[in-house]
Amino acid sequence: MECQKILHFGNQLLRRKNVDCTREDSRLSRCLNTFDLVALGVGSTLGAGVYVLAGAVARENAGPAIVISFLIAALASVLAGLCYGEFGARVPKTGSAYLYSYVTVGELWAFITGWNLILSYVIGTSSVARAWSATFDEIIGQHIEEFCRKYMTMDAPGVLAKYPDIFAVVIIIILTGLLIFGVKESALVNKVFTCINILVLGFVMVSGFVKGSLKNWQLTEEDIYNTNRSILGDNHTQGEMLYGVGGFMPYGLKGVLSGAATCFYAFVGFDCIATTGEEVKNPQKAIPIGIVASLLICFVAYFGVSAALTLMMPYYQLDTNSPLPNAFKYVGWDGANYAVAVGSLCALSTSLLGSMFPMPRIIYAMAEDGLLFKFLAKVNEKRKTPIIATVTSGAIAAVMAFLFDLKDLVDLMSIGTLLAYSLVAACVLVLRYQPEQPNLAYQMARTTEETDNNESVSTSDSQAGFLPEEEEKCSLKAILCPPNSDPSKFSGSVVNVSTFIIGFLIVGSCILTALEPSILIKAVWILAVILVLIVSFVIWKQPESKTKLSFKVPLLPLLPIVSIFVNVYLMMQLDLGTWIRFAVWMLIGFIIYFTYGIWHSVEATYAATADAERSTEAGSDSCK
């Protein structure tokens, strides 16, 4: 009896969401096109970091080889982007990684993913709002900061900010009102700011290639020594240690890889596109195209700006806080700083909108599924926007921006985002090898261009897949040489177990590396790589689903596994304080889930109704 209760509780935690993608009804307004999504992804991803990050990484990590760092970071981000693209084609509904986890790995993992995405977006919104306020204040001469420090100082170091940021609150309130007003209007504002930002970055790139010199990519140790002798005296060794050995890769391959890890975060933000599933006209095609195109545009921008910077002036003289104004001053173009100021404000505006746009949609999706309080799923009938979720998320972000200095919390954004990336990659890996669902309510989205003939063929195929199949016995031959060309329950289970083993090996190896980077760990890594390759081979041998989609991740199972590794490795590089804060946030989430969500879940209601129908049918059969 106790075992049955434990089993029932476990089933509750792992129940999966049934999505009917054949139904077109949506409470939200379908008014966005592919260009809107590309602009949203570029605006969210290509934030103010492009005006700051390139200088810091070039000076301290990679030198002119920062262009290679951005290339590596872009490739790693594209792996996650491709996984999001496939799910956008499969399940074109609101919810992003939360929904994808719910469909594939179950309710508890979905709640963890959604809860962490909410945290990421709240902190992202608050920190960008404070950055917008600080940037604007610096342009006008820091009058706002002086006034607040004089009349509104807060004496709680380590807990609260030095002064409340009223201007940041005003910005959040304005954008919250814009999001309530309508999706189309928000997208229009985003497109305007994004286009201005792109134009400014284009000006920076052209300026760099006009005023730059390839000599700055071919500096020698002697050049570095002569330039810095006034600062470091005659200590040549210190100059080498600080600024590398010159050339294109002054800090070597290690510096390039270290720079790539930092640059990876510059590509975070494209996942906001995946939350628009119910607001796009043709989501099966628009979401994959939007994600891949926005990442490509962002890579070209980062690559171009970093190349222009390192061509304009020696990498070791770049200013880590404001590299572009410093570089233009170096080449005698001081007037260009006004364009940079406008571009940075536009970039911060689109980045802020990119953080605020997906947050209410995640809350709305979780509330509609019953995992968060139901009133949060209320939609404005006239504007077709999730009004309560938008106001609530805006209010929380405004309070945080008003009171807290968020520098210590920014790393928490990384955990939520990287966890979501990892789960989406794992879900793609699992779902591609699963048999067709016999539940007709669970029809994965097909492309709208399929002809009636193709639909009839696929229907007959899927019906054939619903026929009872013989139980496959577990053997080495059945695992390595599956008898069927279509996925079966057995082959699906093999992939599930294999994916779990790969995840365990990757997480375990990354934890050991973070705790004890010694020679012993190298042996552990070699063993882990061999085991991962063996298990990956087992997955590769299993039959894939033949469901037709408008977009599929290529090179399975390799790409999702590499994506999982990159994301988990970066997560394990975060400090202990960040993980403690993450544990506190998760504790709050689990209290909400186990006291409210698990009992009010819509899937629980469906399951209870199905059980009641089965018991009624069983009772009627026994009476016959």
Side-chain angles (χ1 to χ4, degrees), residues 128-427:
V128 173
R130 285 191 77 99
W132 204 106
S133 174
T135 304
F136 181 77
D137 193 27
E138 192 171 334
I139 292 171
I140 63 172
Q142 297 190 328
H143 296 301
I144 297 174
E145 183 178 348
E146 288 174 10
F147 177 83
C148 291
R149 280 181 180 276
K150 188 174 180 180
Y151 298 104
M152 305 174 67
T153 185
M154 294 190 295
D155 189 18
V159 180
L160 300 177
K162 292 178 182 177
Y163 61 89
D165 198 333
I166 299 173
F167 200 68
V169 174
V170 172
I171 297 161
I172 291 174
I173 290 171
I174 291 170
L175 286 183
T176 301
L178 177 64
L179 288 170
I180 291 171
F181 193 75
V183 179
K184 194 68 179 174
E185 292 77 8
S186 304
L188 177 62
V189 171
N190 180 70
K191 279 188 286 191
V192 171
F193 282 134
T194 300
C195 288
I196 295 172
N197 186 22
I198 293 291
L199 286 173
V200 171
L201 293 177
F203 166 73
V204 170
M205 285 183 254
V206 172
S207 304
F209 297 138
V210 169
K211 298 292 289 184
S213 171
L214 277 174
K215 289 180 181 178
N216 289 321
W217 282 15
Q218 299 164 353
L219 297 167
T220 63
E221 292 180 54
E222 189 177 350
D223 293 328
I224 298 171
Y225 171 70
N226 291 334
T227 308
N228 293 286
R229 186 163 50 180
S230 59
I231 302 171
L232 303 172
D234 291 325
N235 193 340
H236 187 76
T237 307
Q238 190 178 357
E240 280 186 20
M241 182 179 69
L242 285 175
Y243 302 116
V245 295
F248 182 70
M249 294 174 64
Y251 300 98
L253 183 61
K254 186 177 180 182
V256 172
L257 294 176
S258 172
T262 305
C263 294
F264 178 83
Y265 295 109
F267 291 93
V268 167
F270 68 84
D271 52 308
C272 69
I273 293 175
T275 63
T276 63
E278 292 182 39
E279 294 163 290
V280 189
K281 292 173 184 175
N282 185 6
Q284 289 97 327
K285 280 202 165 183
I287 290 177
I289 292 171
I291 289 172
V292 175
S294 61
L295 282 174
L296 181 62
I297 293 169
C298 290
F299 164 67
V300 171
Y302 281 122
F303 186 95
V305 169
S306 57
L309 263 177
T310 50
L311 285 170
M312 276 198 281
M313 66 186 296
Y315 69 89
Y316 53 84
Q317 290 185 308
L318 287 169
D319 190 310
T320 54
N321 294 320
S322 52
L324 284 176
N326 187 254
F328 280 118
K329 188 176 181 181
Y330 183 85
V331 297
W333 282 18
D334 289 29
N337 290 340
Y338 294 106
V340 172
V342 170
S344 60
L345 283 179
C346 288
L348 282 165
S349 300
T350 56
S351 184
L352 184 56
L353 199 57
S355 292
M356 291 187 69
F357 186 87
M359 182 165 41
R361 280 146 186 82
I362 296 290
I363 294 172
Y364 162 78
M366 294 179 73
E368 195 171 45
D369 290 335
L371 303 189
L372 289 180
F373 308 110
K374 203 72 180 176
F375 72 90
L376 293 169
K378 182 181 171 71
V379 173
N380 185 306
E381 294 300 326
K382 185 179 179 182
R383 296 291 175 187
K384 301 287 185 183
T385 54
I387 182 168
I388 303 296
T390 305
V391 171
T392 303
S393 57
I396 294 170
V399 169
M400 290 191 71
F402 184 72
L403 296 175
F404 299 107
D405 186 359
L406 300 162
K407 287 177 184 174
D408 294 333
L409 299 178
V410 168
D411 279 346
L412 272 178
M413 289 171 57
S414 304
I415 289 186
T417 305
L418 293 172
L419 178 66
Y421 286 2
S422 304
L423 275 174
V424 170
C427 290

Side-chain angles (χ1 to χ4, degrees), residues 500-518:
F500 175 79
I501 292 170
I502 288 173
F504 178 79
L505 289 170
I506 290 174
V507 171
S509 303
C510 290
I511 290 174
L512 285 174
T513 304
L515 294 176
E516 189 65 39
S518 63

